[in-house]
Amino acid sequence: MQPTPLPDKVLSRGLLDVLIRAGLIAILVISCYQIFRPFLDLMLWSMILAITLYPLHGMLRGRLGSDARAASLIVLIAIAILLIPVYLLGDSVAESIQKSITVIKNEAFHIPPPADSVASWPLVGATLHGFWLQAATDLTGLLQKVAPQLKGVSLTVLGKLAGVGIGFLMFIFALLIAGIFMAYGANGSHSAVQIATRVAGAERGPQIAELCTATIRAVAQGVVGIAFIQMLLVGGGFVVMGIPGAGLLALAVLLLGIMQLPATLITIPVIAFVFATEGATAASIAFAIYTFVAGMVDNVLKPLLLARGVAVPMPVILIGALGGMVTSGIIGLFIGPVLLAVGYQLFWQWVDDQPEAATPAADDQQPT
């Protein structure tokens, strides 16, 4: 008995119902994303910080006997660590501005006239000589002349500083939210495993969740941790040698390390400055060797720490960090390696999951 085929109207109605449901789900997802989008970076930073600091939370929880107390202590210590350098930086900038204002009021600021040989420099010699000479003889008139350009540059600098301030406040809020995440860390870990299991299956889900967690911690140790160690090593040398603005230069080393740029951009000019002012003494030579080696220490530590505890080759993590940094900024430094590590793992699981090659049956084989 042949089955009765479904009428075309029933098929079209079923397809229409599926399309309507899919459309409604898409509208719901897009609407939820638009509502959540202003908080996306904040929540991503919060999750990254919570995952990174959770092992420390586990250690403190055993001593304090409370998840909330351990999370609160970590957040307070982290905020204090952030506020102390910011206070020192602000105090240094305010002191420099006050000294500059005092020098200008007392008319103690004088620019020496340029040498005649400056005018003979190729391309820029004549222009530079005229500009320098006017600055030495009529600084007020020169400032009035370049006032419109200075105004534009000042507005740009103030805008950048405002962006840095907003980013700093967002980081503080992210720390507070990360403390809440750590206080409910067990539930969060269980939820992450459930979501990964629902997406990738019961076998691969827990592995993917563990891989994401290990990758974020490895990047935090291998990038931020190494940059902090490098800042301490280089900054200590600057302080001992009495380099002007040693704190600001050490902070610049930290930022370069986080941005995956070489610290030699700071250390080599400082070494040149020391030789120009101190000469080739034993102290300056020892400082140059120490500073150069400290500026290159990330090349030794990064292979040791970057892929530590991650079942993914170190070049994959490094490429993910660099690519994420280029495409998405600082937050891409963490998201890039996670996505690339998960993609790498899934790709090789797909490659290894090949059906066994079918062996020809004995009766199908032709006699030779």
Side-chain angles (χ1 to χ4, degrees):
M1 181 177 180
Q2 297 295 331
T4 304
L6 293 174
D8 293 340
K9 290 184 179 180
V10 176
L11 290 174
S12 61
R13 182 177 299 173
L15 179 60
L16 182 62
D17 290 342
V18 172
L19 292 177
I20 291 174
R21 292 173 183 173
L24 292 175
I25 292 173
I27 292 173
L28 178 62
V29 171
I30 294 173
S31 300
C32 292
Y33 173 75
Q34 290 178 343
I35 294 172
F36 187 71
R37 185 178 179 181
F39 307 97
L40 182 60
D41 289 346
L42 179 63
M43 299 306 294
L44 285 175
W45 271 120
S46 301
M47 286 191 293
I48 290 171
L49 290 172
I51 292 172
T52 303
L53 297 174
Y54 193 68
L56 178 61
H57 175 270
M59 295 171 55
L60 294 177
R61 179 183 55 193
R63 298 183 178 182
L64 299 178
S66 172
D67 289 328
R69 292 177 183 174
S72 300
L73 181 60
I74 291 175
V75 170
L76 291 176
I77 293 175
I79 292 176
I81 292 174
L82 288 174
L83 289 179
I84 290 174
V86 170
Y87 170 76
L88 295 177
L89 176 61
D91 184 67
S92 176
V93 171
E95 184 179 356
S96 300
I97 294 174
Q98 185 65 34
K99 288 182 178 179
S100 301
I101 293 174
T102 303
V103 169
I104 293 174
K105 285 183 178 181
N106 296 333
E107 298 182 355
F109 180 72
H110 299 287
I111 298 177
D116 295 336
S117 59
V118 175
S120 62
W121 292 357
L123 299 178
V124 298
T127 304
L128 179 60
H129 184 274
F131 185 85
W132 191 345
L133 183 61
Q134 186 178 2
T137 57
D138 186 16
L139 182 59
T140 303
L142 179 62
L143 291 177
Q144 292 177 352
K145 182 179 178 180
V146 299
Q149 291 80 3
L150 290 177
K151 181 179 179 182
V153 173
S154 300
L155 291 176
T156 302
V157 172
L158 289 176
K160 295 295 183 181
L161 291 176
V164 172
I166 293 173
F168 180 75
L169 291 177
M170 188 185 77
F171 198 78
I172 295 295
F173 282 115
L175 272 174
L176 296 175
I177 299 175
I180 298 174
F181 286 164
M182 286 186 290
Y184 298 92
N187 294 332
S189 177
H190 180 67
S191 300
V193 172
Q194 281 186 316
I195 294 172
T197 301
R198 186 66 180 89
V199 173
E203 181 179 356
R204 297 177 180 175
Q207 297 177 0
I208 291 177
E210 184 179 356
L211 176 63
C212 293
T213 301
T215 302
I216 291 175
R217 289 174 183 166
V219 172
Q221 295 175 1
V223 175
V224 182
I226 291 176
F228 189 76
I229 293 173
Q230 199 168 29
M231 179 197 70
L232 294 178
L233 293 175
V234 175
F238 289 172
V239 171
V240 171
M241 198 62 185
I243 303 298
L248 295 179
L249 293 174
L251 182 62
V253 170
L254 174 64
L255 296 177
L256 288 177
I258 294 176
M259 292 187 294
Q260 297 296 283
L261 295 175
T264 50
L265 295 175
I266 301 293
T267 58
I268 290 180
V270 171
I271 292 173
F273 170 79
V274 170
F275 275 109
T277 56
E278 302 290 336
T281 63
S284 60
I285 294 174
F287 170 78
I289 296 174
Y290 169 81
T291 304
F292 185 78
V293 172
M296 301 291 291
V297 73
D298 59 327
N299 296 320
V300 178
L301 295 178
K302 193 174 295 181
L304 298 176
L305 297 178
L306 194 56
R308 184 180 179 183
V310 182
V312 172
M314 191 275 292
V316 175
I317 304 297
L318 182 59
I319 292 173
L322 295 175
M325 181 77 185
V326 172
T327 56
S328 302
I330 298 296
I331 198 168
L333 193 67
F334 296 89
I335 298 176
V338 170
L339 295 179
L340 203 60
V342 171
Y344 176 88
Q345 200 81 330
L346 291 178
F347 173 75
W348 280 108
Q349 287 180 359
W350 173 76
V351 170
D352 295 337
D353 190 16
Q354 295 184 9
E356 297 181 0
T359 56
D363 54 350
D364 292 340
Q365 296 178 357
Q366 297 295 333
T368 56

PDB file of all heavy atoms in Angstrom, residues 211-223:
ATOM      1  N   LEU A 211      39.312  24.672  27.630  1.00  0.00           N
ATOM      2  CA  LEU A 211      40.293  25.286  26.740  1.00  0.00           C
ATOM      3  C   LEU A 211      40.175  26.812  26.765  1.00  0.00           C
ATOM      4  O   LEU A 211      41.192  27.520  26.819  1.00  0.00           O
ATOM      5  CB  LEU A 211      40.094  24.766  25.318  1.00  0.00           C
ATOM      6  CG  LEU A 211      40.986  25.383  24.235  1.00  0.00           C
ATOM      7  CD1 LEU A 211      42.448  25.066  24.509  1.00  0.00           C
ATOM      8  CD2 LEU A 211      40.575  24.881  22.853  1.00  0.00           C
ATOM      9  N   CYS A 212      38.949  27.326  26.737  1.00  0.00           N
ATOM     10  CA  CYS A 212      38.756  28.786  26.786  1.00  0.00           C
ATOM     11  C   CYS A 212      39.296  29.362  28.090  1.00  0.00           C
ATOM     12  O   CYS A 212      39.986  30.401  28.094  1.00  0.00           O
ATOM     13  CB  CYS A 212      37.268  29.114  26.636  1.00  0.00           C
ATOM     14  SG  CYS A 212      36.576  28.711  25.019  1.00  0.00           S
ATOM     15  N   THR A 213      39.001  28.691  29.202  1.00  0.00           N
ATOM     16  CA  THR A 213      39.485  29.175  30.501  1.00  0.00           C
ATOM     17  C   THR A 213      41.004  29.162  30.565  1.00  0.00           C
ATOM     18  O   THR A 213      41.635  30.144  30.984  1.00  0.00           O
ATOM     19  CB  THR A 213      38.904  28.296  31.619  1.00  0.00           C
ATOM     20  OG1 THR A 213      37.474  28.335  31.564  1.00  0.00           O
ATOM     21  CG2 THR A 213      39.362  28.780  32.979  1.00  0.00           C
ATOM     22  N   ALA A 214      41.610  28.051  30.136  1.00  0.00           N
ATOM     23  CA  ALA A 214      43.074  27.946  30.189  1.00  0.00           C
ATOM     24  C   ALA A 214      43.737  28.950  29.254  1.00  0.00           C
ATOM     25  O   ALA A 214      44.794  29.507  29.581  1.00  0.00           O
ATOM     26  CB  ALA A 214      43.499  26.526  29.825  1.00  0.00           C
ATOM     27  N   THR A 215      43.132  29.225  28.105  1.00  0.00           N
ATOM     28  CA  THR A 215      43.727  30.169  27.156  1.00  0.00           C
ATOM     29  C   THR A 215      43.719  31.581  27.718  1.00  0.00           C
ATOM     30  O   THR A 215      44.718  32.313  27.607  1.00  0.00           O
ATOM     31  CB  THR A 215      42.957  30.128  25.827  1.00  0.00           C
ATOM     32  OG1 THR A 215      42.970  28.796  25.306  1.00  0.00           O
ATOM     33  CG2 THR A 215      43.589  31.054  24.810  1.00  0.00           C
ATOM     34  N   ILE A 216      42.612  31.992  28.324  1.00  0.00           N
ATOM     35  CA  ILE A 216      42.540  33.337  28.904  1.00  0.00           C
ATOM     36  C   ILE A 216      43.576  33.497  30.012  1.00  0.00           C
ATOM     37  O   ILE A 216      44.277  34.514  30.092  1.00  0.00           O
ATOM     38  CB  ILE A 216      41.116  33.611  29.429  1.00  0.00           C
ATOM     39  CG1 ILE A 216      40.147  33.741  28.260  1.00  0.00           C
ATOM     40  CG2 ILE A 216      41.086  34.879  30.282  1.00  0.00           C
ATOM     41  CD1 ILE A 216      38.706  33.892  28.676  1.00  0.00           C
ATOM     42  N   ARG A 217      43.714  32.499  30.860  1.00  0.00           N
ATOM     43  CA  ARG A 217      44.704  32.591  31.936  1.00  0.00           C
ATOM     44  C   ARG A 217      46.123  32.577  31.384  1.00  0.00           C
ATOM     45  O   ARG A 217      47.004  33.291  31.902  1.00  0.00           O
ATOM     46  CB  ARG A 217      44.497  31.433  32.916  1.00  0.00           C
ATOM     47  CG  ARG A 217      43.239  31.586  33.748  1.00  0.00           C
ATOM     48  CD  ARG A 217      42.987  30.369  34.609  1.00  0.00           C
ATOM     49  NE  ARG A 217      41.731  30.513  35.338  1.00  0.00           N
ATOM     50  CZ  ARG A 217      41.101  29.501  35.960  1.00  0.00           C
ATOM     51  NH1 ARG A 217      41.632  28.295  35.943  1.00  0.00           N
ATOM     52  NH2 ARG A 217      39.962  29.725  36.592  1.00  0.00           N
ATOM     53  N   ALA A 218      46.356  31.785  30.339  1.00  0.00           N
ATOM     54  CA  ALA A 218      47.699  31.740  29.759  1.00  0.00           C
ATOM     55  C   ALA A 218      48.072  33.081  29.143  1.00  0.00           C
ATOM     56  O   ALA A 218      49.209  33.544  29.275  1.00  0.00           O
ATOM     57  CB  ALA A 218      47.776  30.635  28.708  1.00  0.00           C
ATOM     58  N   VAL A 219      47.120  33.726  28.470  1.00  0.00           N
ATOM     59  CA  VAL A 219      47.407  35.037  27.879  1.00  0.00           C
ATOM     60  C   VAL A 219      47.643  36.067  28.976  1.00  0.00           C
ATOM     61  O   VAL A 219      48.530  36.923  28.866  1.00  0.00           O
ATOM     62  CB  VAL A 219      46.252  35.462  26.954  1.00  0.00           C
ATOM     63  CG1 VAL A 219      46.424  36.897  26.494  1.00  0.00           C
ATOM     64  CG2 VAL A 219      46.172  34.538  25.753  1.00  0.00           C
ATOM     65  N   ALA A 220      46.848  35.995  30.050  1.00  0.00           N
ATOM     66  CA  ALA A 220      47.040  36.940  31.154  1.00  0.00           C
ATOM     67  C   ALA A 220      48.427  36.790  31.768  1.00  0.00           C
ATOM     68  O   ALA A 220      49.098  37.780  32.084  1.00  0.00           O
ATOM     69  CB  ALA A 220      45.962  36.733  32.215  1.00  0.00           C
ATOM     70  N   GLN A 221      48.886  35.548  31.915  1.00  0.00           N
ATOM     71  CA  GLN A 221      50.214  35.319  32.472  1.00  0.00           C
ATOM     72  C   GLN A 221      51.308  35.638  31.461  1.00  0.00           C
ATOM     73  O   GLN A 221      52.321  36.255  31.795  1.00  0.00           O
ATOM     74  CB  GLN A 221      50.350  33.864  32.921  1.00  0.00           C
ATOM     75  CG  GLN A 221      49.438  33.485  34.072  1.00  0.00           C
ATOM     76  CD  GLN A 221      49.512  32.001  34.394  1.00  0.00           C
ATOM     77  OE1 GLN A 221      50.262  31.261  33.763  1.00  0.00           O
ATOM     78  NE2 GLN A 221      48.728  31.566  35.360  1.00  0.00           N
ATOM     79  N   GLY A 222      51.103  35.226  30.199  1.00  0.00           N
ATOM     80  CA  GLY A 222      52.141  35.350  29.202  1.00  0.00           C
ATOM     81  C   GLY A 222      52.254  36.722  28.576  1.00  0.00           C
ATOM     82  O   GLY A 222      53.267  37.016  27.947  1.00  0.00           O
ATOM     83  N   VAL A 223      51.241  37.566  28.716  1.00  0.00           N
ATOM     84  CA  VAL A 223      51.295  38.910  28.135  1.00  0.00           C
ATOM     85  C   VAL A 223      51.335  39.961  29.242  1.00  0.00           C
ATOM     86  O   VAL A 223      52.313  40.696  29.401  1.00  0.00           O
ATOM     87  CB  VAL A 223      50.109  39.143  27.188  1.00  0.00           C
ATOM     88  CG1 VAL A 223      50.110  40.582  26.686  1.00  0.00           C
ATOM     89  CG2 VAL A 223      50.166  38.182  26.006  1.00  0.00           C
TER      90      VAL A 223
END
